Amino acid sequence: MVKGGAAIAAPTPTLLFPPTPTLTLSPRHLLPVGPSCSGAVGQALHRFKATSLRRHRHFVNTSLSFASPISSERGDGSSSSNSSSTVLDVNEIRQKCNKWRWKGHVINYFVHPVSPPPPPLPHGDGVQPQPEDYYSLSPPLFLVHGFGASIAHWRRNIRVLARSHTVYAIDLLGFGDSDKPAGFAYSMEVWAQLILDFLDEIIQKPAVLMGNSVGSLACVIAASESRHGLVRGLVLLNCAGGMNNKAIVDDWRIKLLLPLLWLFDILLNQKGIASAIFKRVKQRESLRNILLSVYGNKESVDDDLVEIIKRPADEEGALDAFISIVTGPPGPNPVQLMPRLSLPVLVLWGDQDPFTPLDGPVGKYFTSLPSRLPNVSLCVLERVGHCPHDDRPDLVHTKLLPWLATLRTS
């Protein structure tokens, strides 16, 4: 159903700115074979089911082998695992983006189809499923970036995830190459509606939403409001408590800073002062220092990452978006939203996150969820910061891919 959005032709697009439990595979959602299936048909279906399960396990293992390339040890005992074979070039992402018109605004998005097909299984089972048999059961993934980021922030994930799923990624309104309308009042609710309409008009089938920071919260809001069954599951990477820190009033650190935050809001509403602050923040060296403070793996803070954040910040409308988001209402609280969800949820949390730390109210709430909600799984990632997917993609893929493999579209 079209709600006023439409895909439009785009000129060459251009790109803004901030020990875990082992998951086991399950054969559920493969073709059921009941008492009514008997004789040759029943045997064929049994063989197909067994072969599909082996293909399923084989494909996950193959994907994990690409997700965890050989890494080099560093002096601190950690490792660098960003393989050039799994990282998409930033310029390639920009060149392959599409445009979609949503409520009068142009939204930038990217699609990576499943590629390549899995290697064939040995013959001899009688029924030999084709690659499309596997892919038809794999829900698409919809990636939603965090504050200040854009599609290219997923450059270390898209190629690995696309070995088993069609991958969509979007620049939220106000970020990346999407429009940054002057005077627009940004809100979590606007971004959640954008996600829902993209699911309805572009993807048009049940998908897994995967977000980081405020992108995670936008996904939670969208899933809680979805009425068309288009959200198949949620992957939350260090979910934010609100559009800005004013939402986290239960944290003693925020309570101490609240007067300063209010003063900061007043200053930002003075355009000249806000412009001077923004100009200083978006300098390359300032951005690099900020990123180094929120990443556990410092090697992931490279020139490409700094440019991913800086380039859109230089565009017209970026300052207005920055002011509106930092000074605006924080939006719905995930504490009220999560209990409404019955769909599968995977929470991945970097333990060195200074924005939403594990010992803060948001971190404590999400780490308590598996004991309260049976649909929620949690993995705490050691020596990882606020952006796990880009900080240590190997750890994220190792936890994410087996969990995704248990999901099947109906």
Side-chain angles (χ1 to χ4, degrees):
M1 181 175 72
V2 177
K3 300 180 179 177
I8 62 176
T12 302
T14 52
L15 274 175
L16 184 215
F17 177 15
T20 55
T22 300
L23 298 176
T24 57
L25 302 182
S26 168
R28 61 183 176 177
H29 305 304
L30 291 170
L31 257 178
V33 180
S36 60
C37 297
S38 58
V41 174
Q43 293 173 9
L45 286 173
H46 274 295
R47 287 196 299 270
F48 178 82
K49 180 178 178 182
T51 306
S52 297
L53 181 56
R54 286 201 303 278
R55 176 178 296 279
H56 159 84
R57 288 172 175 162
H58 169 74
F59 196 86
V60 170
N61 290 335
T62 302
S63 298
L64 283 172
S65 70
F66 285 104
S68 304
I70 297 174
S71 59
S72 57
E73 290 295 328
R74 302 202 310 249
D76 60 1
S78 58
S79 62
S80 172
S81 55
N82 295 329
S83 168
S84 59
S85 65
T86 62
V87 180
L88 276 178
D89 180 72
V90 173
N91 290 325
E92 180 184 352
I93 293 174
R94 289 178 51 215
Q95 292 165 6
K96 293 183 177 180
C97 280
N98 303 290
K99 301 293 183 181
W100 169 56
R101 190 171 294 280
W102 178 74
K103 297 184 182 299
H105 307 294
V106 176
I107 302 299
N108 191 54
Y109 73 96
F110 178 85
V111 185
H112 195 304
V114 177
S115 175
L121 292 176
H123 291 280
D125 292 291
V127 177
Q128 183 69 38
Q130 298 301 308
E132 55 267 24
D133 295 328
Y134 178 85
Y135 295 133
S136 66
L137 299 174
S138 300
L141 306 182
F142 184 10
L143 311 182
V144 184
H145 62 78
F147 177 77
S150 61
I151 293 168
H153 204 205
W154 302 100
R155 69 200 187 284
R156 294 182 172 129
N157 316 107
I158 291 173
R159 186 169 283 166
V160 171
L161 298 176
R163 296 188 181 278
S164 51
H165 300 260
T166 298
V167 178
Y168 294 82
I170 196 170
D171 284 339
L172 292 172
L173 187 69
F175 295 111
D177 281 337
S178 288
D179 278 356
K180 304 168 187 66
F184 190 85
Y186 292 90
S187 70
M188 295 304 310
E189 293 90 340
V190 166
W191 290 331
Q193 189 59 53
L194 171 60
I195 291 169
L196 288 173
D197 290 345
F198 189 87
L199 285 169
D200 193 22
E201 299 171 21
I202 302 298
I203 301 181
Q204 297 184 342
K205 64 186 298 187
V208 175
L209 303 182
M210 179 171 169
N212 173 226
S213 189
V214 293
S216 276
L217 180 55
C219 290
V220 171
I221 300 169
S224 70
E225 296 179 353
S226 176
R227 298 294 180 266
H228 302 294
L230 290 178
V231 181
R232 180 68 184 86
L234 281 177
V235 181
L236 308 178
L237 302 164
N238 288 63
C239 185
M243 191 168 72
N244 45 55
N245 279 335
K246 292 193 291 293
I248 317 173
V249 294
D250 291 336
D251 191 338
W252 63 269
R253 289 162 288 201
I254 298 299
K255 287 181 179 180
L256 289 177
L257 290 174
L258 270 179
L260 185 59
L261 292 175
W262 290 330
L263 174 61
F264 191 57
D265 281 4
I266 294 172
L267 293 176
L268 284 181
N269 281 308
Q270 308 298 315
K271 198 65 176 279
I273 297 175
S275 179
I277 293 173
F278 190 58
K279 183 177 181 180
R280 184 175 183 85
V281 167
K282 68 179 184 177
Q283 291 177 355
R284 283 186 174 82
E285 200 55 36
S286 296
L287 289 176
R288 188 180 299 276
N289 289 334
I290 293 170
L291 291 164
L292 286 170
S293 72
V294 300
Y295 271 60
N297 177 17
K298 310 307 180 185
E299 290 186 4
S300 289
V301 181
D302 55 16
D303 292 340
D304 279 347
L305 176 59
V306 173
E307 195 62 24
I308 287 168
I309 306 300
K310 177 173 173 51
R311 191 176 187 279
D314 290 331
E315 295 179 357
E316 185 177 354
L319 172 60
D320 286 346
F322 173 76
I323 295 172
S324 177
I325 293 166
V326 173
T327 63
N333 192 314
V335 175
Q336 279 77 49
L337 299 177
M338 289 300 296
R340 302 180 192 173
L341 303 177
S342 58
L343 49 77
V345 180
L346 175 63
V347 178
L348 301 176
W349 212 277
D351 69 346
Q352 294 185 3
D353 182 358
F355 289 162
T356 49
L358 279 173
D359 63 348
V362 179
K364 286 180 178 178
Y365 173 73
F366 275 98
T367 53
S368 73
L369 282 182
S371 63
R372 304 182 190 182
L373 303 175
N375 59 310
V376 177
S377 300
L378 168 74
C379 292
V380 175
L381 306 177
E382 295 182 351
R383 298 193 299 275
V384 177
H386 186 63
C387 308
H389 61 291
D390 191 53
D391 191 327
R392 285 295 304 271
D394 56 330
L395 292 182
V396 169
H397 298 153
T398 298
K399 303 303 179 183
L400 173 62
L401 290 171
W403 182 85
L404 286 173
T406 67
L407 302 181
R408 289 292 179 267
T409 54
S410 56

